[in-house]
Amino acid sequence: MPANSRLIRSTELYDFLKRQPDFSRMVESKYAFSRFLRKMHDENILKQVIPNVEVDTSNKCMYQWRFYPPTKTRQRQADPESVKATFHLSKSMFFSKGKIYKANNGVMVRSMQEVHILNRLLREEVFDIYYERPLCAASSKKFPDFTILNTATNVVFHWEHFGMLDNPRYCEYMVDKLEWYKRVGYKGIDEGGRLAVTCYENENQFITSVENVIERLKEIS
């Protein structure tokens, strides 16, 4: 892996590796490289070879790969003492095989970004939290990433996080889901509504966005 202090994606890794003659002869395209990574992941081999990789499998058509420098640890230590909120287990089996990352309360979620969001929510004693609890409206059903009840204000919020903005299909899915919320009458928390939306652009932006949302969930009544 090239020496780098930042996150790199599979396309960047491929661009680096294809300069090696042996590699370019074996792997003819970025798509072939992606298929190879997926096979390695599905056979539980990838993490044994490259421990500093994060795999987001929420989009079954196209896995998302993120590689980190070896010095950057992606697994956070469990911290049960930081769990102050109430968490309600969902009976939903919505793409359950994609939940491979563990939060501080032992709940499995789909990505390290969702781990960060859930761990941050769990630090707030006034929150009752549900993960992927079904939401039915206009004769259809969606699964918000998080449903949060602020027990101090008795207000219920839904939080959607979108972490793969470099994936065109995923972006289409994001637009469709946000348009559904708009059709059924939800407004964003910046408008005083009950829908929180975060996206991942970079780590600093993401962490700041999560903190801003948490503050709004505590303020809106």
Side-chain angles (χ1 to χ4, degrees):
M1 185 178 297
N4 199 330
S5 61
R6 66 177 180 86
L7 170 154
I8 64 171
R9 302 182 187 280
S10 61
T11 52
E12 294 173 279
L13 183 59
Y14 173 80
D15 288 339
F16 172 79
L17 292 174
K18 73 179 181 181
R19 289 176 256 168
Q20 312 299 319
D22 290 342
F23 179 84
S24 60
R25 283 195 295 269
M26 291 186 296
V27 183
E28 70 276 12
S29 69
K30 294 178 181 179
Y31 302 104
F33 186 48
S34 181
R35 289 195 298 271
F36 169 76
L37 291 175
R38 180 166 182 153
K39 184 174 186 295
M40 294 279 283
H41 171 75
D42 290 344
E43 294 179 0
N44 296 316
I45 298 173
L46 186 63
K47 276 281 189 181
Q48 300 175 40
V49 179
I50 311 175
N52 52 311
V53 61
E54 176 184 334
V55 187
D56 192 327
T57 62
S58 57
N59 185 333
K60 297 301 177 184
C61 297
M62 187 177 295
Y63 286 7
Q64 185 75 11
W65 314 94
R66 295 185 177 92
F67 300 86
Y68 296 86
T71 55
K72 187 166 185 132
T73 303
R74 301 309 300 171
Q75 294 294 331
R76 296 179 174 88
Q77 294 294 324
D79 183 14
E81 293 184 2
S82 69
V83 177
K84 298 179 181 178
T86 300
F87 186 88
H88 302 269
L89 287 172
S90 172
K91 296 180 180 179
S92 170
M93 297 301 292
F94 178 64
F95 288 121
S96 59
K97 290 183 179 179
K99 300 173 184 178
I100 60 174
Y101 299 92
K102 185 180 291 187
N104 281 345
N105 62 345
V107 169
M108 305 302 290
V109 297
R110 300 186 187 280
S111 70
M112 288 301 295
Q113 294 163 32
E114 288 189 343
V115 167
H116 177 81
I117 292 172
L118 180 52
N119 284 347
R120 184 62 186 84
L121 287 168
L122 289 169
R123 287 163 50 188
E124 302 294 333
E125 192 171 357
V126 297
F127 290 161
D128 274 15
I129 307 162
Y130 301 79
Y131 179 63
E132 292 188 344
R133 183 186 190 187
L135 173 62
C136 299
S139 301
S140 58
K141 181 190 294 185
K142 298 293 181 183
F143 293 84
D145 292 326
F146 301 96
T147 300
I148 304 109
L149 167 66
N150 184 329
T151 59
T153 61
N154 205 34
V155 177
V156 175
F157 299 92
H158 300 293
W159 187 337
E160 294 284 6
H161 176 68
F162 300 101
M164 298 189 295
L165 300 186
D166 56 348
N167 184 322
R169 291 184 183 178
Y170 184 85
C171 288
E172 290 177 6
Y173 158 78
M174 176 182 72
V175 170
D176 288 344
K177 198 169 189 182
L178 293 178
E179 286 181 349
W180 180 85
Y181 277 107
K182 185 176 181 180
R183 286 197 305 272
V184 300
Y186 280 85
K187 293 182 179 180
I189 56 174
D190 291 338
E191 304 173 271
R194 306 295 182 261
L195 176 64
V197 178
T198 50
C199 299
Y200 185 93
E201 297 174 16
N202 58 68
E203 191 158 357
N204 289 336
Q205 165 271 333
F206 168 63
I207 292 172
T208 299
S209 296
V210 170
E211 291 304 313
N212 289 340
V213 168
I214 296 287
E215 289 307 307
R216 292 297 289 149
L217 298 190
K218 292 191 290 185
E219 292 171 354
I220 295 175
S221 59

